[in-house]
Amino acid sequence: MQVPAPGVAENLRASRDELERRLSGSSAAGDYLYELVQERSPAQHAPHRPSRTLAIWDLAAVAWLAEPRWVESITVPSPALGDDLSWQEVKRGRRMRVATRVLRDEVMTDFFAKIAGAPQ
């Protein structure tokens, strides 16, 4: 399985305002995650743009495992690593599934609900 960042995982975006509203005060885990956003978000370098969105890349792979319906995908031939350490196309053999689209609202709604239900 492969989840490309461009065009797929990068769509799992949330604004700093949404993250504050949905994470801060929701649980100990939510508070911790919101603190991380405050410390590491690109918006800290652009305080005049508080609505700038952040991609939460890692949610795509977890969401695909948790609920496969939230990630559209196709199957393609699995590449092989060549002697020159580059990826070579293989016409036959193993196939792999590649994500082509992730349903942002479903994934983010589930994420926020799980964080809110985390132990205090």
Side-chain angles (χ1 to χ4, degrees):
M1 294 169 55
Q2 177 188 38
V3 181
V8 182
E10 73 181 354
N11 291 323
L12 293 176
R13 303 185 83 73
S15 70
R16 289 177 46 134
D17 294 339
E18 179 182 22
L19 293 172
E20 179 178 16
R21 191 174 63 255
R22 303 291 300 269
L23 293 177
S24 182
S26 65
S27 67
D31 289 341
Y32 173 72
L33 290 173
Y34 184 67
E35 285 178 31
L36 289 178
V37 168
Q38 291 294 92
E39 292 172 9
R40 298 184 180 160
S41 79
Q44 73 184 3
H45 304 295
H48 59 285
R49 294 175 62 191
S51 63
R52 182 176 182 164
T53 61
L54 309 168
I56 307 176
W57 314 94
D58 300 337
L59 288 180
V62 174
W64 199 356
L65 293 172
E67 185 50 69
R69 294 177 299 145
W70 295 340
V71 180
E72 295 176 8
S73 63
I74 58 173
T75 56
V76 299
S78 292
L81 190 59
D83 293 336
D84 64 350
L85 301 181
S86 67
W87 291 107
Q88 310 292 317
E89 185 176 326
V90 176
K91 299 281 186 204
R92 296 182 185 179
R94 300 183 119 190
R95 297 185 63 78
M96 64 185 242
R97 190 161 290 281
V98 178
T100 58
R101 181 173 176 240
V102 63
L103 300 178
R104 184 258 182 220
D105 291 344
E106 285 80 350
V107 172
M108 297 303 284
T109 297
D110 182 67
F111 169 68
F112 291 131
K114 285 187 167 112
I115 291 299
Q120 290 294 333

